[in-house]
Amino acid sequence: MTQLRTVQVLGGGSAGSSAHVRSLAAGLVARGVRVTVCAPPELDRVYDFLGAGAHFVPVPRRNDPAAVGALRVACAGADIVHAHGLHAAVRTGLALGGGSTPFVVTWHTRSHADGARGGLLRLLERRTVRAAAVVLGTSSELVDRARRRGARDARLAPITIPPGRVPSAETGGDEAKARAELGAVGRPLLMAVGSLEPHRGYGTLLDAAREWRDLDPQPLLAIAGEGRERGALQRRIEEERLPVRLIGRRDDVTELLASADLAVLPSRWEARSLLAQEALRLGVPLVATAVGGVPELVGDAAELVPYGDAPALAAAVTSLLSDRPRREALATAGRAQAATWPTEDETIAQVLSVYDELAGA
């Protein structure tokens, strides 16, 4: 039997799409599929695609014109080419040039832009989904969006990211150490995780933090991530004396999250948020905005509030901090909800079934 050859293409490489491609590469290789991953070189240093058994081709980031040429060479002779994200799909479509190689696109999230840039993004979405044999959306809303843009075949692919290293019952000392490092001894710890970008809703989160400054004990909000909003957020924190710490990129997010009293997700839009997945798996109560794929992901296992509503966000956090039975109920519900998500093996099997279908056709 001829070995199936696939090429996986990443663009900027969000944490969710990069972790998925790493998991997918390892699973496909274990099933006898030959996998090549094309991505910016720094992503291999973080996600170790070579360690997953894949071939790795470094491809410049999306604004480099050499990227299309590198992809054209890498995709030559592939049975299936699979792009993850809009920008990766645009470049891959150009590299394939409308040839006969089956082209799969996964939408992990959506881009946010207004005005002329928003119109350009919609045009790019239409072109890429119409060039794809199959579009996989990680939430029902993304599947509907792909169909509206003209996708011939759009399917739900509710990707589950492999869990981080969940601390065991014996690691309570590590959690205490994490809280002490952040300055959250004897006070509640709230955790938010994600790039410091406008669509993450951190401005609203700081507005909410003003509301709980007078609580006793005063909660500490730790935000893990980096991005262009860091300077503006830090200025607000200092000027308004908010109980908030920006802690930058961390490789111990799972441990920090496990030590938290609450997780907070204030985003404008999410599909299958990594923070939400980890919080529910760990039994950490979650307050999140009711946007995108979040309600579909969490069910009744989180407190949901409208996007941009700082009073509602502050009230939800304050209420949970004063209601231990409700926090415990959410912790139990979160673990139960996480158990309903597709496993890593099921996620890989679904993608492989699409490949087999297209290769057979």
Side-chain angles (χ1 to χ4, degrees):
M1 182 177 179
T2 304
Q3 186 182 35
L4 187 70
R5 297 162 298 171
T6 75
V7 176
Q8 308 290 323
V9 184
L10 280 165
S14 68
S17 59
S18 298
H20 170 61
V21 169
R22 208 287 180 184
S23 168
L24 184 59
L28 292 174
V29 168
R31 289 161 174 78
V33 178
R34 182 178 178 182
V35 179
T36 297
V37 175
C38 299
E42 60 270 21
L43 290 184
D44 185 53
R45 292 193 289 271
V46 176
Y47 293 95
D48 190 20
F49 302 114
L50 288 169
H55 301 275
F56 181 73
V57 176
V59 174
R61 285 194 171 271
R62 62 192 184 208
N63 58 352
D64 192 319
V68 173
L71 285 173
R72 186 174 293 119
V73 173
C75 294
D79 297 304
I80 303 287
V81 175
H82 190 164
H84 298 263
L86 176 61
H87 295 288
V90 169
R91 292 188 300 165
T92 306
L94 291 172
L96 293 175
S100 60
T101 304
F103 181 31
V104 179
V105 173
T106 292
W107 276 3
H108 295 264
T109 186
R110 53 170 287 188
S111 300
H112 300 279
D114 299 313
R117 179 168 170 75
L120 175 60
L121 285 171
R122 288 190 292 273
L123 174 63
L124 294 176
E125 288 176 349
R126 285 196 295 270
R127 287 184 174 178
T128 55
V129 301
R130 291 173 182 178
V134 175
V135 178
L136 302 176
T138 58
S139 71
S140 298
E141 185 174 322
L142 287 175
V143 173
D144 292 341
R145 186 181 181 90
R147 288 172 179 160
R148 290 196 304 271
R149 296 290 187 260
R152 292 173 285 169
D153 186 342
R155 310 179 191 182
L156 180 63
I159 291 163
T160 298
I161 301 301
R165 186 177 66 81
V166 178
S168 67
E170 289 76 25
T171 60
D174 292 338
E175 294 181 19
K177 182 178 178 181
R179 292 179 71 99
E181 177 201 340
L182 295 175
V185 176
R187 62 193 297 199
L189 174 61
L190 317 179
M191 278 292 302
V193 182
S195 58
L196 306 184
E197 301 293 337
H199 69 275
R200 293 291 185 183
Y202 290 134
T204 300
L205 186 54
L206 294 192
D207 292 340
R210 275 204 310 261
E211 302 292 322
W212 61 64
R213 277 185 306 189
D214 297 329
L215 296 180
D216 185 18
Q218 186 185 69
L220 173 67
L221 169 65
I223 303 176
E226 286 292 353
R228 55 181 166 155
E229 291 286 291
R230 183 183 180 101
L233 293 173
Q234 187 61 50
R235 283 191 295 275
R236 276 199 61 187
I237 291 167
E238 293 171 0
E239 290 170 1
E240 300 175 33
R241 299 182 179 180
L242 300 175
V244 180
R245 283 193 60 188
L246 305 181
I247 61 175
R249 290 190 181 91
R250 302 286 295 235
D251 58 9
D252 59 347
V253 166
T254 298
E255 288 79 1
L256 293 175
L257 185 58
S259 72
D261 297 283
L262 295 180
V264 189
L265 181 68
S267 301
R268 174 181 175 186
W269 197 91
E270 294 279 353
R272 293 181 70 84
S273 159
L274 295 182
L275 173 63
Q277 290 187 50
E278 281 292 87
L280 267 61
R281 282 192 183 113
L282 290 164
V284 178
L286 173 69
V287 178
T289 43
V291 296
V294 173
E296 183 177 30
L297 176 69
V298 304
D300 296 325
E303 293 284 355
L304 299 180
V305 298
Y307 167 72
D309 191 335
L313 180 58
V317 168
T318 302
S319 175
L320 278 178
L321 289 176
S322 64
D323 190 346
R324 185 180 183 87
R326 175 60 179 160
R327 295 201 307 273
E328 292 174 347
L330 283 177
T332 300
R335 293 188 179 99
Q337 178 70 9
T340 69
W341 299 334
T343 65
E344 190 175 2
D345 281 346
E346 288 168 343
T347 298
I348 294 163
Q350 181 187 15
V351 174
L352 185 56
S353 71
V354 173
Y355 293 173
D356 288 340
E357 175 188 332
L358 294 176

